[in-house]
């Protein structure tokens, strides 16, 4: 082992390796995705990056969707996609932000007001750009400006009550809390919501038992708006815990301890509310801090809460995101407690029906209902972070109603009707990856890469069809069973769950606002950019609490490559040792002690290497730092304060 001039520990791969199937498949996938991304952008954008789209778009729904449609271009670059993707991704983010500002939904570069399920989806793009680095002055200042909208430090966006540790509405953004919605706010979504259950049991003219609510009926719509304004749009909801991702994003740029404390204190406030409510997290807390303040004392009935519209999903996802963010920022595994406790409380309510074990998904005035099979993916996320037996037990207690080794090729960004797996953003294979990383699904890498190839082919066909022609799209708000503004997600061919799982060693992010937690990431030492160097494939084979085992393969017989492995997506871990392994996984020589969060591996032409890397997890403060000094200056900009003075 030697030291680089940059003082990174460095080893050399010298053993010739005929590229295994998975390595060649990864290279095929990178090449195909690079080309697909070009075609996708050319199909749907103008030369300035704005989207070919309707001339007007009213209502509060929708600014998240264009970001979602194009966000994976940034993540593909982070993994090792073409260097052109970086500039294209940045141009698209700026162009979409400008376009939706003109539509009236974005102000000061941030959504004026909407909920944190949709904010969470849309600002994944922002988080991926953070990983794309190097951080610019603009990136850092933008992240701080956005965070201040939720820390109570932006007078124009008074979303947060610092004293009560309370986000003041389910609908928040750059304009502050939206306590009262108008008929226009929901106008684009009415036809879709016709097929959703009613928010309340007592809406005049609505049969709650029918599980539908006619939002398109003007009289019903007026009742809905009045009741939601009275009962639902003031005060805090668990969904707001997704804001912790935005705060963590700003922390990664700055290391500001006040941001870390905001995440832990806001999570602690929800822990206290849950204790006060007897162990079940309440879904509505009034502006005074009282549970059920606007719902006759009921702890259910809040916006995107236990009753409407999705139930447990929009409870457990923000909890999981916030708990994982708190661990990332503190290294304290006890911060997973609230998500763990809610999974346990939900499981304790289970019942057996027709040979199936079911848990309640919703709670309303008549108690628990909407019984469904428990989803293993949420405890999988917790176990991937904790590596704790208790989280493994939470996974293993769930009956396997289908083959968890089975790979799904998602056909829609939503849900697989046969397996029950969520497939939002075409992520559908958390369970078989979990089986693989436990050693129970050995041929998973090649199979998931083949499935990903199939998905890209299908999506390209769809994009190239008449239905994918943006000039033939009808002017309207709904298209079939989804809002027309989702169209870019449905046409996008840039999906690559396999590459995230196999190269980074973690499940793909939670689609509603989760950071991309994983065990490792990579940088190209020669190009000084994020991602695997061209021609280099990676495979994470095993994870333990204090190690990661992975392979690197230089598929090129003509070029030497150098890859820097980082411990953790955000450099939150530290390497302690490096052990070479042979093809059977047996040690070759003695392990060597190393320290720090980076290890450089020089790969001679056509060589490969298998390594077991000792690791102290959550030893470092997470950041967006790269292995080399940033070319951009630090700090933030400041200027005039007295802008209201009268000119003479």
């Amino acid at each position: 082992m030697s030291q680089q001039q940059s003082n990174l520990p460095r080893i050399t791969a010298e053993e010739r390796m005929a590229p295994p199937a998975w390595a060649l498949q990864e290279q095929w996938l990178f090449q195909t995705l690079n080309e697909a991304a070009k075609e996708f952008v050319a199909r749907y954008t103008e030369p300035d990056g704005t989207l070919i789209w309707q001339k007007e778009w009213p209502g509060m729904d929708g600014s998240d969707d264009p970001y979602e449609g194009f966000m994976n271009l940034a993540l593909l670059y982070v993994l090792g996609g073409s260097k052109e993707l970086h500039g294209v991704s940045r141009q698209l983010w700026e162009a979409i932000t400008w376009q939706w500002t003109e539509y009236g939904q974005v102000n000061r570069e941030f959504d004026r007001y909407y909920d944190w399920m949709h904010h969470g989806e849309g600002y994944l793009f922002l988080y991926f750009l953070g990983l794309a680095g190097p951080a610019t002055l603009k990136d850092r200042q933008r992240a701080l400006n956005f965070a201040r909208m939720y820390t109570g430090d932006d007078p124009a966006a008074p979303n947060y009550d610092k004293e009560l540790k309370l986000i003041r509405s389910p609908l928040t953004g750059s304009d502050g809390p939206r306590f009262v919605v108008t008929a226009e706010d929901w106008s684009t979504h009415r036809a879709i919501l016709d097929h959703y259950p009613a928010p309340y049991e007592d809406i005049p003219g609505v049969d709650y038992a029918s599980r539908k609510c006619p939002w398109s009926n003007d009289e019903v719509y007026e009742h809905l708006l009045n009741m939601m304004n009275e009962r639902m749009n003031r005060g805090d909801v668990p969904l707001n815990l997704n804001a912790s991702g935005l705060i963590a994003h700003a922390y990664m740029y700055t290391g500001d301890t006040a941001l870390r404390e905001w995440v832990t204190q806001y999570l602690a406030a929800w822990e206290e509310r849950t204790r006060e409510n007897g162990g079940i997290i309440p879904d509505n807390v009034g502006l005074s801090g009282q549970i059920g303040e606007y719902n006759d004392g009921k702890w259910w009935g809040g916006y995107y809460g236990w009753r409407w519209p999705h139930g447990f999903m929009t409870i457990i996802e923000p909890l999981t995101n916030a708990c994982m963010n708190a661990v990332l920022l503190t290294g304290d595994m006890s911060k997973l407690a609230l998500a763990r406790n809610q999974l346990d409380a939900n499981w304790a309510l289970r019942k057996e029906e027709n040979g199936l074990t079911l848990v309640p998904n919703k709670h309303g005035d008549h108690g628990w209902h909407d019984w469904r099979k428990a989803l293993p993916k949420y405890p999988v996320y917790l176990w991937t972070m904790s590596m704790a037996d208790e989280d493994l037990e939470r996974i293993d207690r769930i009956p396997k109603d289908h083959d968890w080794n089975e790979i799904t090729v998602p056909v829609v960004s939503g849900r697989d009707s046969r397996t029950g797996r969520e497939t939002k953003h075409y992520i559908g294979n958390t369970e078989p990856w979990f089986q693989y990383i436990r050693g129970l699904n050995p041929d998973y890498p090649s199979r998931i890469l083949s499935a990903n190839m199939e998905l890209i082919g299908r999506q390209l066909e769809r994009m190239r069809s008449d239905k994918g022609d943006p000039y033939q799209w009808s002017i309207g708000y709904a298209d079939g069973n989804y809002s027309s503004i989702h169209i870019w997600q449905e046409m996008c061919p840039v999906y690559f769950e396999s590459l995230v799982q196999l190269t980074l060693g973690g499940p793909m992010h939670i689609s509603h606002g989760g950071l991309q937690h994983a065990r490792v990431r990579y940088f190209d030492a020669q190009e000084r950019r994020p991602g695997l160097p061209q021609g280099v494939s990676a495979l994470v084979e095993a994870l333990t609490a204090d190690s990661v085992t992975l392979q690197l393969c230089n598929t090129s017989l003509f070029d030497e490559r150098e890859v820097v492995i980082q411990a953790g997506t955000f450099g939150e871990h530290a390497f302690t040792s490096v052990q070479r392994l042979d093809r059977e996984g047996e040690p070759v020589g003695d392990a060597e002690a190393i320290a720090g969060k980076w290890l450089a591996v020089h790969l001679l032409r056509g060589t490969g290497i298998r390594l077991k890397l000792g690791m102290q997890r959550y030893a470092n403060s997470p950041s967006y730092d790269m292995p080399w000094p940033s070319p951009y200056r630090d700090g933030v900009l400041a200027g005039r304060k007295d802008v209201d003075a009268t000119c003479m």
Side-chain angles (χ1 to χ4, degrees), residues 113-403:
Y113 53 88
Y114 206 11
D115 60 65
W116 264 103
M117 188 181 88
H118 295 89
H119 287 335
E121 292 172 325
Y123 292 115
L124 290 172
F125 199 158
L126 201 66
Y127 308 157
F128 297 159
L129 286 174
L131 292 171
T136 67
L137 176 63
K138 193 179 201 180
D139 294 331
R140 188 180 305 108
Q141 186 146 338
R142 176 183 284 140
L144 278 171
N145 288 342
F146 290 173
R148 287 168 180 156
M149 295 175 185
Y150 286 90
T151 59
D153 297 308
D154 180 350
N159 293 310
Y160 190 62
D161 184 325
K162 289 187 177 184
E163 182 179 349
L164 294 177
K165 306 294 185 290
L166 180 147
I167 292 179
R168 301 174 64 225
S169 173
L171 304 170
T172 58
S174 59
D175 284 5
R178 181 76 163 176
F179 296 138
V180 176
V181 298
T182 67
E184 185 191 61
D185 283 325
W186 285 105
S187 60
T188 61
H189 222 53
R190 289 175 67 181
I192 305 302
L193 289 168
D194 282 343
H195 305 285
Y196 278 49
Y200 305 106
E201 286 92 338
D202 59 345
I203 302 170
V206 175
D207 176 14
Y208 185 80
S210 72
R211 299 184 57 80
K212 291 188 177 182
C213 182
W215 287 66
S216 294
N217 180 298
D218 289 342
E219 185 176 348
V220 170
Y221 188 45
E222 184 177 358
H223 287 307
L224 279 165
L225 294 175
N226 291 336
M227 295 173 81
M228 292 172 79
N229 286 332
E230 179 183 343
R231 303 178 186 179
M232 193 176 276
N233 294 333
R234 292 169 291 168
D236 212 349
V237 294
L239 190 62
N240 284 333
L241 282 160
N242 275 338
S244 64
L246 190 74
I247 308 302
H249 171 69
Y251 178 88
M252 247 89 79
Y253 281 117
T254 66
D256 184 347
T257 57
L259 297 170
R260 180 179 64 206
E261 289 168 2
W262 186 96
V263 171
T264 58
Q265 290 172 3
Y266 186 53
L267 179 62
W270 277 106
E271 290 174 335
E272 177 56 35
R273 294 163 190 163
T274 303
R275 281 192 291 271
E276 184 183 341
N277 198 50
I280 299 290
I281 191 168
D283 72 8
N284 66 109
V285 177
L287 292 172
S288 71
Q290 178 184 339
I291 294 170
E293 183 172 351
Y294 310 117
N295 277 286
D296 297 325
K298 299 171 185 175
W299 53 263
W300 64 91
Y303 183 99
Y304 274 63
W306 281 111
R307 173 163 53 194
W308 181 84
H310 302 299
F312 190 54
M313 181 191 80
T314 43
I315 300 292
I316 195 59
E317 282 197 347
L319 288 184
T320 303
N321 285 334
C323 289
M324 292 177 74
N325 292 337
V327 171
L328 175 69
L329 299 183
T330 68
D332 181 359
M333 286 296 166
S334 71
K335 302 298 184 188
L336 297 179
L338 187 55
R340 286 168 164 169
N341 293 344
Q342 292 310 289
L343 286 171
D344 292 345
N346 186 248
W347 182 252
L349 294 165
R350 70 191 181 279
K351 69 178 182 179
E352 302 295 322
E353 187 174 287
N354 299 323
L356 298 176
T357 302
L358 305 176
V359 293
N361 194 56
K362 294 181 179 178
H363 190 286
D365 291 353
H366 303 292
W368 294 105
H369 62 282
D370 193 11
W371 297 83
R372 303 184 184 186
K373 293 174 287 189
L375 294 177
K377 73 173 186 175
Y378 301 117
V380 166
Y381 283 107
L382 299 182
W383 174 80
T384 304
M385 174 164 270
S386 73
M387 303 304 292
D389 287 344
E390 66 167 288
D391 291 317
L392 193 59
E393 291 169 5
R394 289 184 175 91
I395 304 166
D396 287 340
R397 72 191 178 189
I398 298 173
K400 293 180 173 61
D401 63 297
H402 68 280
D403 181 5

Side-chain angles (χ1 to χ4, degrees), residues 28-105:
W28 184 95
L29 209 52
F30 272 121
Q31 293 165 17
T32 301
L33 286 164
N34 287 337
E35 292 300 316
K38 280 190 211 173
E39 189 174 336
F40 180 55
V41 172
R43 179 78 154 160
Y44 296 114
T45 69
E46 305 283 6
D48 64 357
T50 56
L51 306 191
I52 301 166
W53 186 235
Q54 301 178 183
K55 297 211 177 285
E56 62 180 41
W57 185 261
M60 66 180 172
D61 177 70
S63 68
D64 56 305
D65 294 290
Y67 291 127
E68 289 176 77
F70 292 85
M71 67 186 182
N72 277 346
L73 275 68
L75 185 57
L76 179 59
Y77 171 75
V78 168
L79 295 182
S82 68
K83 62 183 179 181
E84 291 81 9
L85 287 169
H86 191 204
V88 170
S89 296
R90 285 185 171 274
Q91 182 194 31
L92 281 167
W93 194 91
E94 299 276 359
I96 291 168
T97 301
W98 176 86
Q99 189 169 354
W100 263 258
T101 299
E102 294 303 299
Y103 286 140
Q105 293 173 261

